Amino acid sequence: MNDIAMKQAVQAAVKPKFRGNQKLKSKVHTYYPESIEREYQRVTDAYMKLVKDVLKEYLPMIKDALMQEKGNVRKDDIRDLGLVVKDAFDAMHKQLEQKTESFGLRRKLEALAHLTRKLTIKEWKKVVKQTLGIDIMDDYYMGEFYREALNVWVEDNVNLIKTIPKDSLGRMKEIVQEGFKAGKTTNSIVKEIQRTYGIEKRHARLIARDQTAKLHGQLAKAQQTDAGVNEYTWSTSGDSRVRERHRELNGKRFRWDDPPVVDTKTGRRAHPGEDYQCRCVALPVFDIDTINVPIAKG
Ligand SMILES: [Zn+2]
């Protein structure tokens, strides 16, 4: 069957579901993939823990050096403490580098990308089955369909996450050096290190959420536009964390070639999942004239 004959066969097969209407909304409500976000956050948590592990090993040494310094009034020794700190952080950086190299960040991110792909295919097949009453060709999305998008996402995410532990350790070195110069107590320096670690860990988790949503949204867009879906209904996750503007968009219909304004101040436009940390999704609106789903044989 050629492409046109295939499209006509699909339209004939799904026509009864439209009941004479031009458009048909999805009968399945899909959601932001919380499970993948959690999986991604497990990865960033484990990756950040590498910083904690090296700190744990070297912090007592730095603490001792700081304590000794407090009891020492001779100014000449300040340089010695500086050396102790420098040596300790050099050794930590070396150790951290080994740990991050053997962590397998890229491999873990690839696994997350494939997990997201699997989940979106499962969701999409369910949407098509329950809304249109047809089965999608089984291996349609297995080959090249997502390859480029997944590769780009993995590459972007490796770059976003890769240097966080190293940068984090660099900031901790500054905290020790500046804290010491400013005459802060050892305790307050250690506390500041712990607080910084907490902030960096949360920062990595926010990237995980943002990027999970971006990939999920991007794959949904690819599936829908490929199937001749030009419109979608904006759907928020419906909880208290949904921002005001996205709540206004909820339930409204938009076109894939014309994203709505998500920031009224700047006029910035985005589809669901594209805005920073957006957990909204796009529910497809099928059109009998443009629909072109890869239908399973038989
Ligand atoms: Zn949103």
Side-chain angles (χ1 to χ4, degrees), residues 234-237 242-243 246 272-273 275-281:
W234 189 292
S235 173
T236 69
S237 47
V242 175
R243 70 205 89 173
H246 292 204
D275 207 1
Y276 184 61
Q277 293 214 32
C278 173
R279 295 165 302 139
C280 300
V281 296

Side-chain angles (χ1 to χ4, degrees), residues 161-177:
I161 303 288
K162 199 170 75 181
T163 58
I164 297 179
K166 188 176 155 230
D167 296 345
S168 176
L169 194 59
R171 264 187 282 280
M172 286 169 194
K173 184 181 175 184
E174 281 168 24
I175 290 171
V176 173
Q177 285 173 332

